Amino acid sequence: MQISINEIELYMNCPRAYKLRYHDCIEAKKKNLSLCKSNAIQRVVQQIHGGILENVKAEDIELFCENIWQEEITNTDQEELDTIVIQEKPATSKKEATPAITKGQRALENLKTWAVHYAELEKEAQVIYSDVPFEDTIGDTTFTGTISQIRKHPQEGWQVIVFNSCSQLPGFAYLKRNFSISLYAHALWQGLLEVNGEKISIGEIPAVYLYYFPNLELYKKSNGKSQKGDLKGDPCIPVHRSKADLLQFEYEILYVASGIQLGFYPMNVSRPGGCELCHFSHGCHEVTIDNAVKNSLELVESK
Ligand code: SF4
């Protein structure tokens, strides 16, 4: 049996959504803004390391972001793009009027900020592979997927970088158990990477980092801990996996694979944002909308 990490993630979010997608063949709803942001920043990062944006000015990177953004938002929910997140402000005796800002405009501004600061901070990074497909056989199941970035560090050795552009940093427990992160580490240790049409083995457990793009934004005001203009945080968050973690993970992912194999599809909504963020809710008869999360729909990545 072969299962992709996207299938595993969807099954983990809600097994019924997996059934709707892969069993009932229901098409996903239009791309949401979170997915556009995630796709766009990954494409920009690829170009930065591919050399196209090397030694260019911030304005060029911003222009490049705008072009990529226009491509990514084709076929996106226009209503979501046009939703106003900051109301316009009328002029006062001291300040000029400021126009309203939509979700789409704010997302593009974030993208530009992330790209410019990423290019500055990561120009020395030794990126060995980008968007590299892998396969990893555990028990009788082969898991497949794509690792966004693999680096080699002079002291630490192999590093897997997992990009994240959610507006809220996932919690520690989530990161510690996240199946995608574990599978990427496992794939470098036990699986095969596909590079230029050849399958290669690394055979080592890598260091793993979540690269959290919103930490590349700057504080607009000083506060007790930070000064105006400081980065919001270190974007590189360690999420390493030990050998013991990965051996435990082998059992866990095989439980999930057997659930899929047996057609076990309960409605078990485990993702923050729940049914509201489900791409298959239009085919589900049991959608439950939680108004508390209605205004926080960018909490979770969809990729
Ligand atoms: S709408 Fe809710 S219950 Fe239905 S498949 Fe999606 S997440 Fe699961």
Side-chain angles (χ1 to χ4, degrees), residues 148-169:
S148 299
Q149 198 178 79
I150 299 176
R151 298 180 182 180
K152 195 94 191 256
H153 187 272
Q155 283 84 43
E156 204 167 39
W158 292 102
Q159 296 176 330
V160 164
I161 309 296
V162 182
F163 295 132
N164 186 294
S165 51
C166 301
S167 46
Q168 192 168 325
L169 179 63

Side-chain angles (χ1 to χ4, degrees), residues 187-204:
L188 255 75
W189 179 39
Q190 297 283 308
L192 295 171
L193 307 182
E194 195 182 314
V195 177
N196 300 327
E198 279 186 34
K199 294 199 172 155
I200 63 159
S201 157
I202 300 288
E204 281 176 33

